[in-house]
């Protein structure tokens, strides 16, 4: 038996956009401020706490001090820090209140410099000890760690007929261990074993009834005997109770509901009550069992905006009825079972069916099938989807049919108590959004500000999103609590009070513009971790604490911000330092713009990177010199900046003497800036037109291009937002004109109906003399697609078909061109060119348009064949708008092709021989 590896045991001051300074109420010495940092946690000796009983834990980390305070599950327990504590290690005796319900959560610490990151920890009524070779009593929870091929063993005394559960919490506590546990009797005969399971997020649990009085052994090791760090675990042994799931898996917001335990060793029918608030996303269920020791991760329910049902057995041959929209929770209780429901919905209506099973920890690998109203004919089926083994699909109720039949089963025909699922049924076109956060903690300087970036992923809803900050500590105020219409980011500024406070904040958003059906309520979640993924509600908690007062404050110079596209907004940034703080302050811009992306080649592979040149940014990396109160700054504005409401803030970093190390970070107030464009677009006709699918009277959008004085570039007006299969119409508007008429037709066979979410846009024509490409505002429009006649098929355009005239037009280059009839790919002749080249940038009749989705008079591709006789390389170039190869406005476009070694004048596409 191997030895176990052990670990050592007032009013809030807010900013205005004028740049005026608020008076400092207190001036503190810089030595206590500069260089300080929030605490950071690396490890904790015990991964569990016993409720109502003192537990001593040892924390390893950085920036700790003897005045730190432990926070468990968002609450400060009774605690005492031992005198031996230092900056990197602290020993604390923690006592949770005896009424604290069993659960899991973050262990954090607070110092005068803020709140730390979180370490996962569990708490229950089990005695907590470090891993040891023998347990004198059970139940018990042992905390330890192992790695590589290490095998740890402990023993306990049991009685005949005694029920025993052995469970390891590792993956659920952010460990890299893939645990296997084994139970042996006194003769070392294996009685039971378990490996990682889905419902335990990769952890293991076994249950057994002991066959005789005597000694029993529990063994734990990594599944591959290759345990990686961190390898911490919490091993629980004894007669205790657990609840993995509850049914239903979702409940309606603001409605008290009863849920029933599923995947449990509690008596059948055990029920609990939940009462979700409007903003509830994922909600832990407080489970209790009188006279029993309850432990483990609490089950959770989701908050739903549609009526929720639970699977109810019906008479033979009769299906449970569901009225869309709805959610239905159930369980594949037996092998080979398929649960079926009758979904009642209007004929022709379209619904999105989303199965949640594996994502919630269920063992079910589901297959979703939609049948016709008889249940005999399959309309659609789904198995895995990208990123999940949960199925989902969109389905239309057939015309003339009032219902369809929905079936769910396991792909391998398995079943059991842990094969739970929920089917969400909502309209395909229901608008929605999701909210995310970059971090799960924020430290706010006392009498200062901190920035919180809330990002929205819009799923059809483009209106404003009102943000709510629940649980803000007393004295903390928030500004910038709205994500503007069409924008994806809000820069929210939190202001701290004079006193030190801490709390657990929940940020959620709600639609401002009305939507059909129930409103949209979504809780902002922080990045996923193995721990928080299993306890999803923990991703909705933002830990907040105040820190020491800021040693410097930033403010914009007075003035109204404006963003001239293709230009710059020039202003200055003012810095107010506390007495004794004289370091250099480095400045950078923070905005609510979603960073544009571009594709580059790296090691001959495509790589997506930030396109900084198309982002709002400061010109260079300006600095405020030591002792100086301000510096000029220039906000560069890309020419193609999309429409939207833009928020700007400047981040100031106080640098140490080495000019690199950051001692403190502060933010300026957030400004809202307007866009100034040199051209704009207005409609003079209807914003909705009829357009034929095929031949017919084309729809026409009519309007004007307005140019500012001095801006004389030609522009092109186009229609954006069309389906990918529909070519976008474009009309050129010369520099001396402002009226335009854009005709719209669609390919024959396009389904008649409404096309929405379209917009007109004017951009400077390629190679415009006005410098950087510019774009106008967008104008929302719509199209009613009507049936058209089938057009006659267009013949391919022959560019070169054996004509001597074509050869005669190749007037430039040092080579020789002539027709050759002896070797050809097709036709009567080929074009022979001897080194080095023959060309003409303006061949007659070759002003053709090559488009991905060609319309009338446009072409999909250019076809050519070549043969190289001798030499090393052959090259073919196409002139585009007076240029050979990629253009500055479109550097990724390729108009050169070559075979053989090297490249063709750079930027060419290599064709294999």
């Amino acid at each position: 038996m191997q030895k176990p590896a052990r670990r050592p045991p007032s009013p809030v001051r807010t900013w205005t956009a004028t740049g005026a300074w608020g008076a400092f109420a207190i001036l503190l010495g810089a030595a206590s401020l500069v260089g300080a940092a929030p605490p950071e946690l690396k490890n904790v000796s015990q991964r569990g706490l016993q409720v109502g009983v003192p537990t001593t834990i040892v924390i390893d980390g950085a920036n700790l001090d003897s005045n730190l305070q432990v926070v468990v599950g968002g609450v400060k327990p009774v605690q005492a820090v031992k005198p031996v504590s230092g900056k990197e290690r602290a020993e604390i005796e923690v006592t949770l209140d005896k009424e604290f319900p069993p659960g899991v959560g973050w262990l954090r610490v607070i110092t005068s410099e803020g709140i730390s990151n979180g370490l996962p920890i569990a708490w229950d009524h089990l005695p907590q000890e470090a891993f040891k070779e023998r347990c004198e009593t059970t139940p018990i929870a042992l905390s330890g760690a192992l790695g590589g091929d290490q095998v740890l063993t402990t023993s306990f005394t049991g009685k005949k007929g005694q029920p025993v559960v052995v469970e390891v919490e590792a993956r659920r506590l952010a460990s890299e261990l893939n645990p296997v546990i084994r139970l042996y009797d006194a003769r070392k005969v294996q009685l039971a074993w378990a490996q990682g399971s889905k419902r335990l997020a990769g952890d293991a649990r076994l249950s057994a009834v002991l066959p005789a009085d005597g000694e029993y052994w529990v063994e734990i090791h990594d599944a591959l005997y290759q345990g990686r760090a961190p390898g911490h675990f919490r091993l629980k042994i004894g007669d205790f109770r657990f609840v993995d799931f509850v049914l239903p898996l979702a409940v309606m917001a603001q409605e008290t509901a009863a849920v029933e335990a599923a995947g449990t060793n509690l008596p059948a029918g055990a029920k609990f009550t939940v009462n979700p608030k409007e903003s509830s996303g994922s909600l832990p269920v407080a489970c209790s069992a009188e006279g029993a020791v309850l432990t483990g991760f609490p089950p959770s329910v989701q908050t739903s905006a549609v009526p929720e049902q639970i699977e109810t057995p019906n008479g033979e041959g009769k299906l449970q009825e569901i009225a869309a929209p709805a959610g239905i929770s159930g369980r594949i209780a037996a092998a080979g079972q398929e649960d079926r429901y009758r979904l009642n919905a209007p004929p022709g209506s379209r619904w999105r069916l989303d199965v949640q099973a594996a994502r919630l920890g269920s063992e079910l690998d589901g297959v979703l099938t939609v049948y016709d109203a008889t249940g005999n004919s399959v309309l659609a089926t789904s198995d895995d989807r990208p990123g999940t083994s949960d199925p989902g699909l969109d389905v239309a109720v057939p015309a003339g049919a009032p219902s369809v039949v929905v079936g769910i089963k396991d792909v391998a025909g398995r079943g059991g108590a842990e094969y739970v699922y929920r089917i969400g049924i909502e309209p395909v076109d229901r608008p929605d959004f999701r909210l995310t956060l970059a971090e799960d903690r924020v430290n706010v300087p006392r009498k200062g500000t901190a920035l919180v970036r809330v990002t929205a992923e819009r799923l059809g809803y483009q209106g404003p999103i009102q943000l709510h900050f629940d649980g803000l500590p007393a004295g903390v105020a928030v500004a910038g609590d709205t994500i503007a219409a069409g924008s994806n980011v809000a820069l929210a500024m939190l202001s701290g009070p004079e006193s030190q406070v801490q709390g657990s904040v929940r940020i959620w958003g709600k639609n401002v513009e009305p939507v059909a059906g129930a409103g949209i309520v979504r809780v902002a979640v922080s990045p996923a971790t193995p721990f928080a993924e299993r306890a999803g509600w923990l991703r909705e908690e933002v830990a907040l604490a105040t820190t020491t007062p800021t040693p410097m404050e930033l403010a914009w110079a007075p003035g109204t911000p404006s963003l001239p596209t293709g230009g710059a907004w020039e202003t200055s940034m003012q810095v107010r330092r506390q007495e004794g703080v004289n370091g250099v302050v480095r400045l950078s811009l923070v905005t609510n713009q979603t960073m544009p992306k571009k594709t580059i080649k790296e090691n001959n592979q495509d790589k997506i990177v930030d396109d900084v040149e198309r982002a709002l940014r400061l010109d260079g990396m300006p600095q405020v010199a030591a002792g100086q109160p301000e510096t000029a700054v220039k906000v560069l504005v890309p020419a193609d900046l999309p429409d939207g409401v833009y928020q700007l803030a400047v981040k100031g970093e106080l640098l140490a003497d080495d000019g690199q190390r950051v001692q403190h970070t502060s933010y300026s107030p957030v400004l809202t800036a307007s866009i100034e464009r040199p051209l704009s677009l207005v409609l003079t006709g209807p914003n909705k037109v009829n357009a034929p699918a095929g031949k017919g009277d084309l729809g026409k959008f009519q309007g004007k291009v307005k140019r500012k004085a001095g801006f004389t570039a030609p522009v092109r007006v186009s229609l954006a937002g069309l389906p990918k299969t529909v070519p976008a119409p474009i009309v050129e508007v010369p520099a001396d004109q402002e009226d335009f008429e854009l005709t719209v037709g669609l390919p024959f066979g396009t389904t008649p109906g409404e096309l929405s979410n379209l917009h007109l846009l004017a951009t400077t024509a390629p190679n415009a003399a006005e410098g950087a490409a510019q774009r106008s505002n967008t104008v929302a429009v719509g199209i009613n697609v009507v049936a058209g006649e089938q057009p006659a098929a267009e013949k391919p355009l022959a560019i070169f078909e054996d004509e001597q005239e074509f050869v005669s037009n190749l007037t430039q280059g040092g080579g020789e061109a002539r027709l050759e009839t002896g070797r050809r790919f097709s036709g009567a002749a080929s074009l022979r060119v001897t080194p080095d080249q023959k060309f003409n940038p303006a061949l007659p009749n070759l002003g053709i348009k090559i488009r991905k989705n060609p319309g009338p008079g446009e072409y999909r591709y250019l076809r050519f064949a070549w043969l190289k006789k001798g030499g090393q390389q052959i090259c073919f170039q196409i002139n585009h708008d007076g240029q050979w190869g990629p253009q500055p406005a479109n550097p990724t476009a390729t108009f050169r092709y070559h075979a053989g070694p090297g490249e063709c004048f750079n930027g060419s596409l290599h064709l294999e021989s």
Side-chain angles (χ1 to χ4, degrees):
M1 181 177 67
Q2 296 187 357
K3 291 277 188 182
R6 297 194 180 209
R7 294 187 182 272
S10 168
V12 176
R13 182 165 57 85
T14 58
W15 286 104
T16 67
T18 63
W21 296 105
F24 277 93
I26 305 174
L27 288 178
L28 300 180
S32 64
L33 300 170
V34 180
E40 296 291 330
L41 303 187
K42 298 177 182 178
N43 190 43
V44 59
S45 60
Q46 294 285 110
R47 290 289 168 165
L49 302 173
Q50 185 175 2
V51 174
V53 176
T55 306
T56 298
I57 59 174
V58 177
I59 293 174
D60 295 320
N63 306 319
L64 307 178
D65 62 39
S66 59
N67 295 318
L68 66 80
Q69 293 179 299
V70 171
V71 177
V72 177
V75 176
K76 290 182 183 177
V78 175
Q79 55 194 278
V81 181
K82 302 294 182 68
V84 295
S85 298
K87 290 289 185 183
E88 296 181 350
R89 173 165 292 195
E91 185 176 351
I92 311 113
E93 184 183 82
V94 177
T95 307
L96 295 175
D97 187 273
K98 63 180 181 180
E99 301 299 327
F100 214 56
V104 296
W106 297 115
L107 169 76
R108 302 180 189 267
V109 301
I110 298 175
T111 69
S112 60
E113 296 304 326
I115 194 163
S116 74
N117 59 306
L119 293 180
I121 197 165
W123 54 86
D124 50 37
H125 291 90
L126 299 178
Q128 313 287 319
E129 295 189 35
F131 191 91
K132 56 185 182 179
E133 297 179 10
R134 173 163 176 76
C135 304
E136 299 300 329
T137 61
T138 61
I140 195 170
L142 304 177
S143 290
L146 61 80
D149 61 356
Q150 190 176 14
V151 179
L152 299 182
T153 306
T154 188
S155 65
F156 66 95
T157 302
K159 296 288 186 180
K160 180 178 180 179
Q162 177 185 342
V164 170
V165 178
V166 180
E167 179 179 344
V168 60
E169 293 170 347
R171 306 294 294 185
R172 290 170 291 173
L173 296 179
S175 172
E176 290 294 325
L177 178 66
N178 290 310
V180 172
I181 48 177
R182 305 177 190 273
L183 177 64
Y184 300 94
D185 66 10
R187 300 168 299 161
K188 300 298 177 67
V189 173
Q190 182 173 295
L191 303 178
W193 78 286
Q195 60 183 352
S197 66
K198 267 195 224 177
R199 69 181 181 278
L200 300 179
D203 285 339
R205 179 200 293 143
L206 64 83
S207 298
V209 176
L210 302 183
D213 293 354
E215 199 76 358
Y216 291 87
W217 302 83
V218 174
E219 181 182 276
I220 178 172
H221 62 83
D222 182 75
L224 299 178
Y225 296 94
Q226 296 177 357
R228 297 183 299 172
H232 58 262
F233 64 83
R234 182 171 180 255
L235 180 66
K236 301 182 293 186
I237 305 171
D239 185 10
F240 55 82
R241 301 291 176 263
F242 56 83
V243 181
D244 292 334
F245 306 105
V246 292
L247 290 175
L249 293 167
V251 295
M252 284 197 75
Q254 299 178 295
E255 287 191 4
T256 301
V259 294
E260 183 174 330
T264 181
N265 60 355
L266 286 175
K271 293 187 177 182
F272 315 102
T273 300
V274 292
N275 186 13
K277 299 177 181 178
E278 178 187 29
S279 63
S280 296
S282 177
L283 188 68
V285 179
C287 300
S288 60
E290 187 175 349
V293 177
L294 195 65
T295 180
F297 278 56
S300 64
V301 294
Q302 299 178 73
T303 307
S304 169
V306 298
E308 293 290 331
Q309 296 187 40
I310 189 169
E311 176 188 10
T312 304
N314 285 329
E316 188 67 29
K318 185 174 181 179
L319 299 181
Q320 185 173 344
E321 308 260 339
I322 304 173
I328 178 73
S329 296
R331 171 169 41 198
I332 305 297
Q337 175 180 316
E338 182 185 41
D339 287 353
R340 288 194 174 195
Y341 305 94
R342 183 171 300 282
L343 175 62
N344 298 316
S349 59
R350 300 179 66 240
W351 301 92
R352 177 156 295 155
L353 277 60
D354 175 33
V355 173
Q356 291 176 292
R359 287 173 290 171
L360 302 178
S362 171
E363 296 289 347
L364 178 68
D365 186 354
V367 175
L368 178 68
T369 305
V370 178
Y371 306 87
D372 66 4
T374 68
N376 297 320
S377 178
V378 174
L379 301 179
T381 189
S382 171
D383 189 355
D384 297 349
R385 287 180 288 172
T388 178
S389 61
D390 290 338
L393 51 80
D394 294 349
V395 64
V397 179
S403 66
V404 293
V405 174
V406 177
I408 179 76
K409 63 182 179 182
D410 183 75
V411 69
R414 302 165 300 173
E418 299 82 19
Y419 287 74
V420 297
Y421 61 84
R422 175 184 180 265
I423 307 174
I425 305 164
E426 296 193 8
V428 167
D429 57 355
R430 183 182 188 273
D432 203 350
F433 58 80
R434 299 191 186 101
L435 300 178
T436 56
L437 303 166
E439 294 186 275
D440 66 352
R441 61 169 168 161
V442 57
N443 286 303
V444 185
R446 299 203 302 272
K447 295 177 61 60
T449 56
L451 191 102
V452 176
R453 188 181 179 95
V454 185
T455 301
E457 178 188 1
R458 293 184 180 270
L459 306 171
Y461 175 74
Q462 297 299 324
I465 301 171
Q466 181 67 50
L467 299 177
H468 301 262
F469 291 70
D470 290 348
L472 282 175
V476 177
V478 60
D481 57 356
T482 301
I483 303 178
S487 178
N488 294 325
V489 176
L491 302 181
M493 195 68 77
L494 299 182
S495 303
E498 295 184 17
S499 58
Q500 187 170 19
V501 297
Q502 68 81 209
S504 182
V505 181
R506 208 156 178 266
I507 304 173
W508 56 282
K510 189 172 184 178
N511 59 296
V512 175
E513 293 181 356
V515 296
I520 311 169
V521 176
R522 294 291 178 261
V523 180
V525 296
S526 57
T529 66
F531 175 54
E533 192 67 25
R534 185 64 181 89
W537 63 91
L538 294 177
R539 295 182 63 192
E540 303 170 3
E541 294 181 5
V542 179
L544 182 147
T546 49
T547 71
T548 50
T550 177
M552 65 177 185
E553 297 178 282
L554 277 65
W556 298 93
T560 302
S562 62
L563 305 176
T565 55
W569 173 49
E570 298 185 23
T571 183
S572 63
M573 182 57 52
Q574 303 172 351
V575 178
R576 172 70 177 271
R577 300 172 173 87
Q578 284 195 16
E579 185 177 337
V581 178
N582 295 308
V584 172
V585 178
R586 183 172 61 199
L587 305 178
S588 58
L589 189 67
V590 180
T591 79
N592 66 335
Q593 181 188 11
T594 300
M595 175 60 73
K597 301 292 182 180
K598 64 180 179 181
T599 302
I600 64 171
K601 284 287 187 183
E602 188 173 281
N603 298 324
N604 209 30
Q605 298 289 326
D606 286 344
K607 181 180 180 181
I608 298 176
V609 298
D610 291 344
D611 191 351
V612 178
E613 297 299 314
R614 295 176 57 224
L616 289 164
R617 63 199 184 279
L618 294 184
D619 187 10
M621 186 70 77
Q623 296 183 345
V624 185
Q628 295 300 309
E630 67 178 308
T631 191
V633 294
K634 185 186 293 185
V635 177
L636 301 181
V637 186
D640 62 347
L641 185 68
D643 291 341
V645 176
Y646 288 93
Q647 295 176 295
L648 311 177
V650 167
K651 180 171 75 171
E653 296 173 308
L654 181 64
L655 302 180
D657 292 341
D658 59 10
Q660 297 296 324
R661 186 165 50 92
V662 176
Q663 300 184 105
H664 182 81
T665 299
S666 290
Y667 291 91
S668 74
V670 175
L671 298 184
T672 300
S674 59
I675 300 175
E676 291 185 4
R677 300 189 186 277
L679 71 156
S680 60
L681 202 61
V682 294
L683 280 180
T684 58
N687 64 353
K688 187 173 184 180
V689 299
N690 293 332
K695 289 181 63 178
D697 293 332
L698 298 179
K700 296 180 181 179
F701 290 111
Q702 297 174 317
K704 292 181 181 292
V705 174
K706 299 291 187 179
R707 298 175 176 87
K708 283 195 171 184
F711 187 81
T712 58
V715 301
R716 55 175 48 177
V717 178
S718 61
L719 181 61
L722 290 166
K724 292 182 178 180
T725 56
V726 177
I730 296 174
V731 62
E732 306 283 348
V733 184
D736 59 349
Q737 294 181 18
E738 66 173 16
D739 294 315
F740 72 86
E741 184 175 272
L742 183 69
T743 56
V744 183
L746 293 97
F748 180 76
T750 302
T751 303
E754 300 287 333
L755 290 180
S756 56
N757 297 322
L758 309 178
H759 58 267
L760 294 175
L761 174 69
T763 58
T764 50
N767 209 26
E770 294 294 324
Q774 292 281 352
R775 56 174 282 165
S776 72
N777 59 306
T778 58
V779 179
V781 295
I783 294 177
N784 179 38
V785 182
V786 297
E789 299 177 12
Q790 184 171 3
E794 293 187 50
K795 293 182 179 180
L797 174 66
I799 296 174
F800 167 65
E801 194 61 48
D802 315 332
E803 304 95 343
Q804 180 60 45
E805 181 184 0
F806 184 89
V807 180
S808 301
N809 285 324
L810 299 175
T811 58
Q812 301 180 36
E816 178 188 355
R818 62 183 174 86
L819 291 180
E820 182 174 292
T821 58
R823 306 189 74 173
R824 61 192 184 274
F825 179 79
S826 64
S830 63
L831 177 67
R832 177 188 176 100
V833 179
T834 59
D836 60 3
Q837 57 182 329
K838 293 297 287 185
F839 62 92
N840 186 341
L843 286 169
N845 303 317
L846 278 187
I848 61 175
K849 296 179 178 179
I850 306 298
R851 299 286 183 261
K852 182 177 181 181
N853 297 303
E858 300 174 343
Y859 299 88
R860 178 71 174 84
Y861 53 83
L862 204 64
R863 187 172 69 176
F864 65 91
W866 63 17
L867 174 67
K868 172 68 175 165
K869 184 178 180 180
Q872 295 294 313
Q873 187 188 68
I874 185 171
C875 178
F876 177 63
Q877 297 189 74
I878 303 170
N879 193 279
H880 187 282
D881 294 301
Q883 295 191 31
W884 300 101
Q887 303 176 57
N890 190 7
T892 62
T894 301
F895 307 119
R896 297 189 180 108
Y897 307 87
H898 82 276
E903 284 192 338
C904 170
F905 300 103
N906 298 319
S908 58
L909 180 65
H910 181 258
L911 304 180
E912 297 290 341
S913 301

